[in-house]
Amino acid sequence: MTTATLSAAAPYLIQQDYSSYTEEQHGIWAELVGRVLPELEKHAAQEYLDGFQIIGLKRDRLPNLAEVNARLEPRTGWKSTAVSGFLPSQAFFEMLAARKFPTTVWLRSRESMEYTPEPDIFHDVVGHVPMHAHPVFADFLEHYGRVCVATPEEPIREKLSRLFWYTVEFGLIRQQGEIKVYGSGLMSSHGECLNVMSGHCAIKEFSLAEVVNTPVKIDELHKLLFVVNSFDQLYEVMHEAERLAASGRL
């Protein structure tokens, strides 16, 4: 899928004006990264930590998406693509299917350091983009987008959205006998990460049937999340979801 076929997403595509960021904003970025990075270095999946280095994220300067993409695209074909804000579902899925991750370019204010209701560049880049450097996860995410683009039935899309939520947004993986985080909501939220690591969230083995039937609650810390044993398992789950969605049995 090329940019020319991004019919639903096209109105939302913009350019990042990197020169417009102020020193105050670079300072906010540095503070945000400084808050989460020590925890991520302890609790994030190794693939995330590798990706952080691969795409060249800086601790003290906001990311220039052109520079990020120059390192990311040759590795997995993904690009962090600037958008004007929240996308309708079809536009979002089109972009995933084209290996273009919709990335907001605004940054939260100092008054909203702890929480912002809409994704900003900190959530999108620190939370999501390092994982796009991992080939298996990159394939999984593109596959997810392609399946959703081809699935117009809203009840099935709702179940597929839960799969996204409990993997891409709030996914856990077991590595060397320890629970590690790879979901973007855990990466960019100190509270959510601490909630899991302090044992206040139940953790179950990943089951597609249970995941797609577990409702999402966005107004409270998670009480239940799911752990995979490898990213290969995640890729296989996506193929199973595709088969069930195509047959109307998801």
Side-chain angles (χ1 to χ4, degrees), residues 187-207:
M187 299 297 183
S188 60
S189 170
H190 175 73
E192 284 283 7
C193 189
L194 182 63
N195 182 56
V196 172
M197 294 306 165
S198 61
H200 294 135
C201 175
I203 298 172
K204 286 190 175 183
E205 296 297 318
F206 193 96
S207 158

mmCIF file of all heavy atoms in Angstrom, residues 187-207:
data_model
loop_
_atom_site.group_PDB
_atom_site.id
_atom_site.type_symbol
_atom_site.label_atom_id
_atom_site.label_comp_id
_atom_site.label_asym_id
_atom_site.label_seq_id
_atom_site.Cartn_x
_atom_site.Cartn_y
_atom_site.Cartn_z
ATOM 1 N N MET A 187 5.300 1.950 28.416
ATOM 2 C CA MET A 187 6.556 2.663 28.226
ATOM 3 C C MET A 187 6.453 4.130 28.625
ATOM 4 O O MET A 187 7.365 4.694 29.221
ATOM 5 C CB MET A 187 6.994 2.591 26.752
ATOM 6 C CG MET A 187 7.245 1.202 26.247
ATOM 7 S SD MET A 187 8.609 0.391 27.123
ATOM 8 C CE MET A 187 8.680 -1.151 26.216
ATOM 9 N N SER A 188 5.339 4.747 28.268
ATOM 10 C CA SER A 188 5.242 6.198 28.427
ATOM 11 C C SER A 188 4.468 6.618 29.671
ATOM 12 O O SER A 188 4.249 7.803 29.895
ATOM 13 C CB SER A 188 4.587 6.812 27.178
ATOM 14 O OG SER A 188 3.279 6.298 26.985
ATOM 15 N N SER A 189 4.033 5.650 30.488
ATOM 16 C CA SER A 189 3.307 5.972 31.719
ATOM 17 C C SER A 189 4.005 5.328 32.913
ATOM 18 O O SER A 189 3.969 4.104 33.079
ATOM 19 C CB SER A 189 1.854 5.490 31.649
ATOM 20 O OG SER A 189 1.236 5.605 32.914
ATOM 21 N N HIS A 190 4.621 6.162 33.742
ATOM 22 C CA HIS A 190 5.293 5.640 34.937
ATOM 23 C C HIS A 190 4.298 4.927 35.853
ATOM 24 O O HIS A 190 4.598 3.870 36.420
ATOM 25 C CB HIS A 190 5.972 6.785 35.686
ATOM 26 C CG HIS A 190 6.593 6.369 36.980
ATOM 27 N ND1 HIS A 190 7.744 5.617 37.054
ATOM 28 C CD2 HIS A 190 6.199 6.587 38.270
ATOM 29 C CE1 HIS A 190 8.047 5.397 38.318
ATOM 30 N NE2 HIS A 190 7.137 5.967 39.078
ATOM 31 N N GLY A 191 3.079 5.488 35.958
ATOM 32 C CA GLY A 191 2.074 4.899 36.832
ATOM 33 C C GLY A 191 1.652 3.515 36.391
ATOM 34 O O GLY A 191 1.519 2.598 37.219
ATOM 35 N N GLU A 192 1.433 3.338 35.089
ATOM 36 C CA GLU A 192 1.018 2.028 34.583
ATOM 37 C C GLU A 192 2.143 1.002 34.742
ATOM 38 O O GLU A 192 1.902 -0.140 35.118
ATOM 39 C CB GLU A 192 0.601 2.130 33.112
ATOM 40 C CG GLU A 192 -0.770 2.756 32.884
ATOM 41 C CD GLU A 192 -1.923 1.804 33.181
ATOM 42 O OE1 GLU A 192 -1.692 0.689 33.685
ATOM 43 O OE2 GLU A 192 -3.073 2.195 32.907
ATOM 44 N N CYS A 193 3.355 1.417 34.441
ATOM 45 C CA CYS A 193 4.497 0.507 34.568
ATOM 46 C C CYS A 193 4.675 0.085 36.017
ATOM 47 O O CYS A 193 4.848 -1.102 36.329
ATOM 48 C CB CYS A 193 5.753 1.175 34.025
ATOM 49 S SG CYS A 193 7.174 0.075 33.891
ATOM 50 N N LEU A 194 4.609 1.038 36.928
ATOM 51 C CA LEU A 194 4.748 0.738 38.349
ATOM 52 C C LEU A 194 3.625 -0.159 38.833
ATOM 53 O O LEU A 194 3.834 -1.072 39.660
ATOM 54 C CB LEU A 194 4.773 2.033 39.150
ATOM 55 C CG LEU A 194 4.967 1.906 40.663
ATOM 56 C CD1 LEU A 194 6.321 1.286 40.974
ATOM 57 C CD2 LEU A 194 4.832 3.267 41.331
ATOM 58 N N ASN A 195 2.417 0.054 38.323
ATOM 59 C CA ASN A 195 1.260 -0.760 38.685
ATOM 60 C C ASN A 195 1.511 -2.235 38.391
ATOM 61 O O ASN A 195 1.182 -3.116 39.189
ATOM 62 C CB ASN A 195 0.027 -0.264 37.920
ATOM 63 C CG ASN A 195 -1.231 -1.024 38.258
ATOM 64 O OD1 ASN A 195 -1.634 -1.114 39.413
ATOM 65 N ND2 ASN A 195 -1.874 -1.576 37.237
ATOM 66 N N VAL A 196 2.142 -2.502 37.242
ATOM 67 C CA VAL A 196 2.442 -3.881 36.860
ATOM 68 C C VAL A 196 3.591 -4.432 37.697
ATOM 69 O O VAL A 196 3.503 -5.527 38.279
ATOM 70 C CB VAL A 196 2.794 -3.960 35.362
ATOM 71 C CG1 VAL A 196 3.293 -5.353 34.999
ATOM 72 C CG2 VAL A 196 1.579 -3.601 34.512
ATOM 73 N N MET A 197 4.672 -3.680 37.777
ATOM 74 C CA MET A 197 5.883 -4.199 38.405
ATOM 75 C C MET A 197 5.762 -4.328 39.924
ATOM 76 O O MET A 197 6.509 -5.080 40.545
ATOM 77 C CB MET A 197 7.074 -3.317 38.037
ATOM 78 C CG MET A 197 7.413 -3.377 36.551
ATOM 79 S SD MET A 197 7.664 -5.097 36.011
ATOM 80 C CE MET A 197 7.588 -4.912 34.225
ATOM 81 N N SER A 198 4.816 -3.606 40.513
ATOM 82 C CA SER A 198 4.615 -3.709 41.958
ATOM 83 C C SER A 198 3.592 -4.781 42.328
ATOM 84 O O SER A 198 3.252 -4.943 43.499
ATOM 85 C CB SER A 198 4.179 -2.360 42.527
ATOM 86 O OG SER A 198 2.950 -1.941 41.950
ATOM 87 N N GLY A 199 3.085 -5.506 41.315
ATOM 88 C CA GLY A 199 2.185 -6.621 41.579
ATOM 89 C C GLY A 199 0.733 -6.261 41.780
ATOM 90 O O GLY A 199 -0.054 -7.085 42.253
ATOM 91 N N HIS A 200 0.344 -5.039 41.392
ATOM 92 C CA HIS A 200 -1.050 -4.618 41.561
ATOM 93 C C HIS A 200 -1.920 -4.947 40.355
ATOM 94 O O HIS A 200 -3.085 -4.576 40.308
ATOM 95 C CB HIS A 200 -1.109 -3.112 41.848
ATOM 96 C CG HIS A 200 -0.487 -2.740 43.152
ATOM 97 N ND1 HIS A 200 0.364 -1.676 43.307
ATOM 98 C CD2 HIS A 200 -0.561 -3.328 44.377
ATOM 99 C CE1 HIS A 200 0.763 -1.604 44.561
ATOM 100 N NE2 HIS A 200 0.223 -2.605 45.229
ATOM 101 N N CYS A 201 -1.351 -5.636 39.384
ATOM 102 C CA CYS A 201 -2.070 -6.005 38.165
ATOM 103 C C CYS A 201 -1.900 -7.503 37.949
ATOM 104 O O CYS A 201 -0.773 -8.011 37.941
ATOM 105 C CB CYS A 201 -1.502 -5.221 36.976
ATOM 106 S SG CYS A 201 -2.183 -5.671 35.372
ATOM 107 N N ALA A 202 -2.995 -8.213 37.799
ATOM 108 C CA ALA A 202 -2.929 -9.642 37.499
ATOM 109 C C ALA A 202 -2.342 -9.843 36.108
ATOM 110 O O ALA A 202 -2.601 -9.060 35.191
ATOM 111 C CB ALA A 202 -4.317 -10.270 37.581
ATOM 112 N N ILE A 203 -1.545 -10.895 35.944
ATOM 113 C CA ILE A 203 -0.916 -11.192 34.659
ATOM 114 C C ILE A 203 -1.270 -12.620 34.274
ATOM 115 O O ILE A 203 -1.015 -13.560 35.036
ATOM 116 C CB ILE A 203 0.609 -11.022 34.735
ATOM 117 C CG1 ILE A 203 0.959 -9.563 35.060
ATOM 118 C CG2 ILE A 203 1.267 -11.441 33.429
ATOM 119 C CD1 ILE A 203 2.424 -9.347 35.339
ATOM 120 N N LYS A 204 -1.878 -12.771 33.111
ATOM 121 C CA LYS A 204 -2.262 -14.089 32.604
ATOM 122 C C LYS A 204 -1.480 -14.428 31.348
ATOM 123 O O LYS A 204 -1.058 -13.542 30.603
ATOM 124 C CB LYS A 204 -3.765 -14.119 32.287
ATOM 125 C CG LYS A 204 -4.677 -14.160 33.497
ATOM 126 C CD LYS A 204 -6.111 -14.428 33.055
ATOM 127 C CE LYS A 204 -7.048 -14.589 34.232
ATOM 128 N NZ LYS A 204 -8.422 -14.911 33.797
ATOM 129 N N GLU A 205 -1.324 -15.725 31.114
ATOM 130 C CA GLU A 205 -0.736 -16.170 29.860
ATOM 131 C C GLU A 205 -1.629 -15.714 28.712
ATOM 132 O O GLU A 205 -2.855 -15.749 28.812
ATOM 133 C CB GLU A 205 -0.592 -17.691 29.837
ATOM 134 C CG GLU A 205 0.357 -18.240 30.878
ATOM 135 C CD GLU A 205 1.785 -17.754 30.671
ATOM 136 O OE1 GLU A 205 2.253 -17.714 29.505
ATOM 137 O OE2 GLU A 205 2.433 -17.409 31.675
ATOM 138 N N PHE A 206 -1.014 -15.291 27.619
ATOM 139 C CA PHE A 206 -1.762 -14.732 26.500
ATOM 140 C C PHE A 206 -2.648 -15.793 25.856
ATOM 141 O O PHE A 206 -2.195 -16.864 25.480
ATOM 142 C CB PHE A 206 -0.803 -14.166 25.459
ATOM 143 C CG PHE A 206 -1.470 -13.301 24.428
ATOM 144 C CD1 PHE A 206 -1.492 -11.930 24.574
ATOM 145 C CD2 PHE A 206 -2.082 -13.862 23.321
ATOM 146 C CE1 PHE A 206 -2.104 -11.119 23.629
ATOM 147 C CE2 PHE A 206 -2.698 -13.077 22.370
ATOM 148 C CZ PHE A 206 -2.707 -11.697 22.526
ATOM 149 N N SER A 207 -3.916 -15.467 25.739
ATOM 150 C CA SER A 207 -4.892 -16.314 25.053
ATOM 151 C C SER A 207 -5.708 -15.414 24.147
ATOM 152 O O SER A 207 -6.348 -14.470 24.622
ATOM 153 C CB SER A 207 -5.816 -17.005 26.062
ATOM 154 O OG SER A 207 -7.039 -17.398 25.460
#
